[in-house]
Amino acid sequence: PLGRAVEEASATRGLLLAALDAGGGQPTLVSAAQRTNLREQSALADFEQLAPAAMRDAYDRTVNGTEVSDAERYLARLTDQNRFAGNDFFLDEDRVQAGLDTRIDRMRGAQSSLASSEAAQLARLRDDEVTDLELRIGIVGAALLVALGAGVHSARSMTRPLAALRLGARRVAADPAAEEPVAFKGRDDEYADAVRAVNE
């Protein structure tokens, strides 16, 4: 909304200055300036409603002062009707332009400042999300390593006893009397029983 307000304020300034430069005989320009001024006020109302209090305070601190007050008086005076009338023709165009320029410059400064703080906040959020993602990837990687380790351990616990049984079966099939007993180093489980039986 603040960006929209700045655009509409800039359009209003251009239209009013063109109308003043033409001597006020351009009701089309004044009517267009009225419309852009209304859109600016609507955008500022949206900003006031949607922006956090800190942003509203920052805007109010930036867009204030004598020049801004003068510019707002000029805006109210020049857009109250759809054509210039009475004393509007005697306004000093340079003073009107200086006031409107100052107001828009301060609005742009506030917009830029708020955009910078928003960008910094978004960068912090992005960094937090990246850290969270890295942490999750680390946890998943560790879980995969544990699963891989458990799988390798299980495979070894199966293949070593089976290798011992295969060796023992070969010895039994050949000449078992001349062979040394099969050595099995492992838990005392069904494989150890099988190795003992082969040796017997």
Side-chain angles (χ1 to χ4, degrees), residues 160-172 176 179-185 191-192 194-200:
R160 288 174 65 200
L162 290 176
L165 288 175
R166 188 178 66 234
L167 178 63
R170 255 195 233 139
R171 288 179 178 183
V172 168
E179 295 289 337
E180 299 255 346
V182 176
F184 176 68
K185 296 176 184 167
Y191 293 111
V195 168
R196 279 193 290 275
V198 165
N199 286 334
E200 287 172 9

Side-chain angles (χ1 to χ4, degrees), residues 20-100:
L20 283 172
D21 195 46
Q26 299 289 333
T28 306
L29 293 175
V30 178
S31 294
Q34 277 183 312
R35 289 191 297 276
T36 56
N37 187 46
L38 285 174
R39 286 195 294 264
E40 175 198 342
Q41 299 309 315
S42 173
L44 285 175
D46 289 345
F47 173 74
E48 286 289 325
Q49 182 180 6
L50 299 173
M55 286 187 175
R56 292 193 308 265
D57 292 343
Y59 176 82
D60 292 339
R61 282 192 309 272
T62 305
V63 185
N64 65 14
T66 308
E67 299 93 347
V68 173
S69 299
D70 290 345
E72 288 173 351
R73 278 196 297 275
Y74 290 140
L75 282 171
R77 180 174 171 181
L78 294 174
T79 58
D80 63 344
Q81 299 179 37
N82 60 359
R83 62 177 56 242
F84 291 157
N87 293 334
D88 294 344
F89 295 108
F90 300 110
L91 286 173
D92 183 355
E93 187 178 340
D94 291 335
R95 289 181 71 185
V96 172
Q97 181 173 357
L100 294 178

